Amino acid sequence: MNIEQTLKDAEQLLAPWCKETFHPEVNRLDVAIQVDDLRAAVGALLAARWGYLSAVTGTDLGIEVGQLEALYHFCNGPAITSLRIHLPRESDACLPSIADIIPSASFFERELQEMLGFAFSGSKVSERLFLPDDWPEKVYPLRADFSIEQAAPVAGRRADELPEQGVVGGNTFVIPIGPQHPALKEPGHFEFTVDGEIVTAAKMRLGYAHRGIEKAAESRNWIQNLYLFERICGICSHTHAMAYSLGVEKLAQVEAPPRAQAIRELIAGLERVHSHLLWLGVAAHEAGFDTLFMYSWRDRETVMNLLEQITGNRVNYSANVLGGVKCDIGAEQAKAVKEGLTYLETRIRHYLEVVTTDAMFLNRTRGIGTISRDEAEKFGLLGPTARASGLSRDVRLEAPYGAYHHFPVSLVMETNGDLEARCVVRLKELLVSCFTMRTIVDNLPEGPLTTRMPRKIPAGETVSRIEAPRGELFYYIKSKGGENPARVHIRTPSLCNWVSVLEKAVGHQLADVPMLIAGMDPCFSCNDRVVTVNRPSTNETWSWKQLREYGIEFYKR
């Protein structure tokens, strides 16, 4: 793809509404527009099929500047066009909602509304998505002047005061699932309205894994944040650390050595096998196929043992450092990796045969939750969920990064778009990953593992996109030229894929809902990055020491 021409096409499309243009990076175009022109500009990009809305980043530019900034990032292969809008910080000015034309924007808008205080006209949703009901009004965790003292809970609608669930009328019921539920491996709250056994409406609530990571990043230096972001998700910790490292290295104009890039890709491949085998076990368990669950998790131990042998850790691998990696692949590790891959390839082929032939499993997956290619594009789906519907969306191929230029992967797609297709895509993807990892081990470049990085990262901003096991992971990183980042915004693939679950649940039986949720491989920890304070009394003030002792760690700016 000719990036320069692609960005020129976007600039021509947006010319009627453009106030000013910027090129923060060679593959990026920033177009400053007025608030009232947002829907028209978005409509022009959609009509021309220029990419998809990948993320919306909000930033508080500070009390001195007195403005909030919203960036609507559209991605088209390696090219990124961002619509940049400024709003007065202390006014009632608001953005027009685009959720009616891009469904996934609903989650982005609600995040900006709750975290930064943006308002959206035309939005049909008023309930909170991330913050608890007793969070005080007009207190926004990601504002520059936010302090913990502002977050004291207020008297009002608490969890134990919510309306009683049950009969709505006739055969219509509201069925709550979660936040603590045997079918959920992480906390999330769903409400499904059912008429008999058929789901007629669905809504969800996130925010139960409160850690405040984006806010915490602003008070930590660049190296400390590497280990902070690695703990966003235990299943794809290397993916987060890799996305962050690549972004910071771009800002510093430093490139990790080829050997380090290859090792990063190798560990990312092992992590993908780990993630997909874990998902296969969860999906099998939801379908009542516990034999498949136990065997797939047994084989997952093979991957975790390999990761431990290479990095010393089984979950948060800490393989990355800014400027490279800290672990090498010697002859012993290479031999173990190839032996492990040989075993895993045999097991993966067996699982592929099972999920496509077992009658019981097919009853729970074939023709269930079918998403057409057009629907996948409309919902903004990412990763295996999108590729199972015939939508070619894989950052490793569309915008190769790191060692993927030298060790590419093959695209895996299905067209049926149902739960069976999502199983098949993930398992075939594992076979592709095994082949690529074997190629890396046999052709590992010689050279050092690290290169020097400055303590202070030059002022600027960058977008780092990589393909996580669940789909595109998006990092927006901004530096003011110091030892700490000014802003880091993370959009994980689960936040985009949730829309399809809520849309496709309607019309299905309630018994299909657990499989629909599991089918997109959700990660709640990736979504939940807000700050909350739990106190036994709204009138009691706790010290920082007491809060830490209570088990919740907060970070001052």
Side-chain angles (χ1 to χ4, degrees):
M1 176 182 287
N2 187 324
I3 297 176
E4 185 178 355
Q5 184 58 50
T6 304
L7 293 177
K8 282 183 179 179
D9 292 343
E11 191 170 0
Q12 291 175 358
L13 287 169
L14 299 170
W17 309 282
C18 176
K19 290 169 51 185
E20 194 175 0
T21 60
F22 312 88
H23 284 276
E25 300 176 272
V26 294
N27 67 318
R28 290 179 55 205
L29 168 70
D30 273 17
V31 180
I33 64 172
Q34 298 282 5
V35 174
D36 295 338
D37 294 331
L38 175 62
R39 286 180 63 88
V42 169
L45 291 173
L46 292 180
R49 302 181 77 87
W50 198 101
Y52 59 95
L53 179 64
S54 180
V56 181
T57 298
T59 304
D60 181 4
L61 299 180
I63 300 173
E64 302 81 6
V65 178
Q67 288 185 325
L68 299 175
E69 180 182 75
L71 284 165
Y72 289 73
H73 305 285
F74 285 82
C75 297
N76 186 352
I80 303 171
T81 292
S82 301
L83 304 178
R84 189 181 295 263
I85 302 173
H86 287 165
L87 290 174
R89 189 174 184 271
E90 302 296 341
S91 77
D92 294 330
C94 67
L95 291 165
S97 173
I98 61 170
D100 56 324
I101 50 179
I102 303 179
S104 61
S106 171
F107 287 83
F108 303 153
E109 291 172 359
R110 292 168 76 180
E111 186 177 27
L112 263 61
Q113 187 171 354
E114 296 178 39
M115 300 297 125
L116 283 153
F118 284 86
F120 290 90
S121 61
S123 176
K124 297 179 180 179
V125 182
S126 58
E127 300 100 338
R128 288 177 174 177
L129 179 65
F130 296 102
L131 293 177
D133 289 311
D134 59 351
W135 186 272
E137 295 290 337
K138 297 188 177 180
V139 173
Y140 308 110
L142 289 181
R143 284 285 182 101
D145 57 346
F146 170 77
S147 66
I148 291 296
E149 289 70 28
Q150 294 176 285
V154 296
R157 191 164 176 256
R158 301 295 299 271
D160 53 358
E161 298 170 358
L162 292 173
E164 185 178 352
Q165 306 295 333
V167 180
V168 175
N171 290 325
T172 302
F173 297 80
V174 176
I175 308 295
I177 299 178
Q180 303 297 333
H181 192 276
L184 299 172
K185 61 182 184 291
E186 294 176 278
H189 181 71
F190 299 86
E191 288 184 11
F192 295 99
T193 304
V194 298
D195 185 356
E197 286 291 327
I198 304 301
V199 177
T200 58
K203 62 180 181 179
M204 67 177 295
R205 184 76 176 268
L206 300 171
Y208 293 95
H210 307 299
R211 293 168 295 163
I213 285 179
E214 286 189 9
K215 186 69 172 179
E218 298 172 14
S219 61
R220 293 184 168 214
N221 65 40
W222 296 99
I223 296 174
Q224 290 171 327
N225 279 324
L226 176 64
Y227 303 97
L228 180 68
F229 292 128
E230 192 170 44
R231 280 150 182 80
I232 287 178
C233 176
I235 302 173
C236 47
S237 60
H238 175 75
T239 303
H240 281 275
M242 186 176 171
Y244 173 75
S245 298
L246 288 171
V248 177
E249 288 161 7
K250 275 199 294 183
L251 283 175
Q253 297 184 349
V254 169
E255 187 173 351
R259 188 175 183 88
Q261 300 280 23
I263 292 173
R264 282 177 176 176
E265 182 178 341
L266 173 65
I267 296 174
L270 289 172
E271 187 174 64
R272 185 175 299 272
V273 177
H274 170 209
S275 177
H276 283 358
L277 287 179
L278 183 145
W279 168 83
L280 178 63
V282 171
H285 176 66
E286 302 297 349
F289 198 169
D290 279 346
T291 303
L292 178 57
F293 160 60
M294 289 184 284
Y295 275 107
S296 62
W297 276 40
R298 180 202 65 181
D299 294 334
R300 171 175 156 260
E301 288 293 317
T302 302
V303 189
M304 298 182 76
N305 291 337
L306 288 173
L307 287 165
E308 184 179 18
Q309 186 170 350
I310 294 170
T311 69
N313 299 297
R314 287 166 62 85
V315 181
N316 295 316
Y317 319 117
S318 293
N320 289 279
V321 294
L322 296 181
V325 295
K326 64 174 69 168
C327 53
D328 201 0
I329 303 293
E332 184 180 349
Q333 288 91 345
K335 181 174 180 290
V337 168
K338 288 196 281 189
E339 288 176 353
L341 293 177
T342 299
Y343 171 76
L344 287 168
E345 284 171 328
T346 302
R347 298 303 301 163
I348 291 165
R349 289 191 179 94
H350 171 66
Y351 295 142
L352 185 58
E353 181 183 0
V354 169
V355 300
T356 54
T357 59
D358 185 85
M360 185 279 292
F361 194 74
L362 290 176
N363 283 337
R364 302 298 307 276
T365 59
R366 182 167 290 177
I368 303 297
T370 303
I371 301 174
S372 68
R373 188 190 184 283
D374 290 342
E375 287 177 320
E377 196 164 8
K378 175 187 173 184
F379 294 151
L381 298 186
L382 302 171
T385 308
R387 296 193 287 273
S389 297
L391 182 60
S392 174
R393 196 163 281 178
D394 191 325
V395 183
R396 296 172 297 173
L397 292 136
E398 296 176 351
Y401 51 89
Y404 284 100
H405 294 280
H406 306 290
F407 301 102
V409 296
S410 302
L411 182 66
V412 177
M413 279 203 313
E414 293 289 319
T415 57
N416 292 340
D418 55 7
L419 288 173
E420 181 192 7
R422 286 164 222 165
C423 293
V424 171
V425 163
R426 286 184 174 92
L427 290 172
K428 286 185 177 179
E429 189 175 279
L430 292 189
L431 294 174
V432 169
S433 295
C434 288
F435 175 82
T436 305
M437 285 187 283
R438 195 185 299 277
T439 304
I440 292 172
V441 171
D442 289 337
N443 300 276
L444 199 61
E446 297 293 336
L449 296 178
T450 60
T451 189
R452 290 182 62 86
M453 283 284 293
R455 282 185 59 188
K456 294 184 178 181
I457 302 301
E461 61 180 56
T462 188
V463 168
S464 179
R465 301 160 58 212
I466 73 174
E467 187 70 17
R470 296 171 178 84
E472 179 196 64
L473 175 63
F474 185 103
Y475 267 65
Y476 169 86
I477 306 172
K478 183 176 182 178
S479 171
K480 289 185 178 179
E483 295 185 16
N484 298 2
R487 176 81 168 101
V488 180
H489 174 235
I490 308 148
R491 195 276 298 137
T492 57
S494 294
L495 201 62
C496 296
N497 290 338
W498 275 122
V499 174
S500 65
V501 174
L502 300 182
E503 290 281 344
K504 284 300 173 180
V506 176
H508 279 83
Q509 293 189 18
L510 183 64
D512 290 328
V513 166
M515 281 297 290
L516 289 173
I517 295 174
M520 63 158 274
D521 191 11
C523 180
F524 294 87
S525 293
C526 288
N527 294 309
D528 298 346
R529 300 179 305 278
V530 304
V531 180
T532 188
V533 180
N534 292 324
R535 296 174 181 166
S537 168
T538 57
N539 298 319
E540 182 179 355
T541 302
W542 283 22
S543 68
W544 286 97
K545 181 179 179 182
Q546 286 173 309
L547 283 170
R548 284 194 294 269
E549 288 174 351
Y550 191 69
I552 305 172
E553 184 176 8
F554 297 92
Y555 305 93
K556 286 187 176 180
R557 285 180 55 78

